[in-house]
Amino acid sequence: PLFSTAAFLLVLGSMFMNYHGGITGKISSNLNGIISPEGGQEWTETVRAQGDLIPEEERGLVWGYGIHPAWYYINDIQPCNRFCAYQGTFVSMAPETVDEIYTMLDTVFPRWIVVNNVEEVKGELEYLGAVLETRYTLVSDLEEFDLYRLRH
């Protein structure tokens, strides 16, 4: 009885692992499609290279405007404000969101700001454009994302 119970558990465990591995592979495949929406592996590598410019000790002081949330995920970064992606949607639904963003810029002073299409951002949020020009230095200018660092 002990041998048959052990054999049964071994077979059951093996079946579970095969099933679980199949699911994990499908989830991983789908997730890769979600986190690299623009250009697959090349896009992911470019975003990671940009994130690598941010020192480990400053990764909690990063905020992005108009960027894809995958930028944070790929770089294993927790943004320093809850409005860290799709701000245009939040602003259109709740205009007071702009006030919270401006307050954050004046109190938290993110060490790093990542922006998608900086010229469009300057048109949408003039104050953010002024903050970038007066308080930040452009560190990395990619086709899609610009990375700014707070000046000392």
Side-chain angles (χ1 to χ4, degrees):
L2 182 59
F3 178 74
S4 61
T5 302
F8 172 74
L9 290 175
L10 185 61
V11 169
L12 185 62
S14 175
M15 288 172 40
F16 174 76
M17 294 304 285
N18 284 337
Y19 176 74
H20 179 67
I23 290 174
T24 303
K26 289 177 186 173
I27 291 171
S28 177
S29 173
N30 289 336
L31 186 58
N32 285 336
I34 291 168
I35 66 166
S36 54
E38 306 300 324
Q41 187 65 29
E42 182 180 333
W43 185 84
T44 301
E45 289 172 9
T46 301
V47 166
R48 186 171 291 121
Q50 191 173 46
D52 286 346
L53 297 172
I54 301 171
E56 195 66 38
E57 65 274 7
E58 297 180 359
R59 288 179 169 253
L61 300 168
V62 179
W63 179 71
Y65 187 87
I67 68 171
H68 195 284
W71 194 96
Y72 300 109
Y73 177 79
I74 290 167
N75 289 300
D76 194 27
I77 288 176
Q78 179 73 33
C80 66
N81 182 273
R82 67 186 178 136
F83 297 110
C84 57
Y86 305 123
Q87 292 92 339
T89 302
F90 288 113
V91 169
S92 67
M93 293 186 323
E96 63 274 11
T97 303
V98 173
D99 295 332
E100 185 173 330
I101 290 171
Y102 289 171
T103 299
M104 181 269 306
L105 290 171
D106 288 337
T107 57
V108 174
F109 299 106
R111 184 79 41 94
W112 297 86
I113 296 180
V114 186
V115 179
N116 180 9
N117 194 343
V118 72
E119 293 306 317
E120 187 175 307
V121 168
K122 288 177 181 179
E124 289 177 10
L125 299 176
E126 290 179 26
Y127 185 67
L128 176 55
V131 164
L132 289 173
E133 288 180 11
T134 59
R135 298 186 202 162
Y136 288 82
T137 302
L138 181 63
V139 174
S140 172
D141 180 9
L142 298 178
E143 185 175 316
E144 187 172 354
F145 303 119
D146 295 331
L147 180 64
Y148 291 84
R149 188 179 192 294
L150 184 65
R151 294 180 189 142
H152 295 312

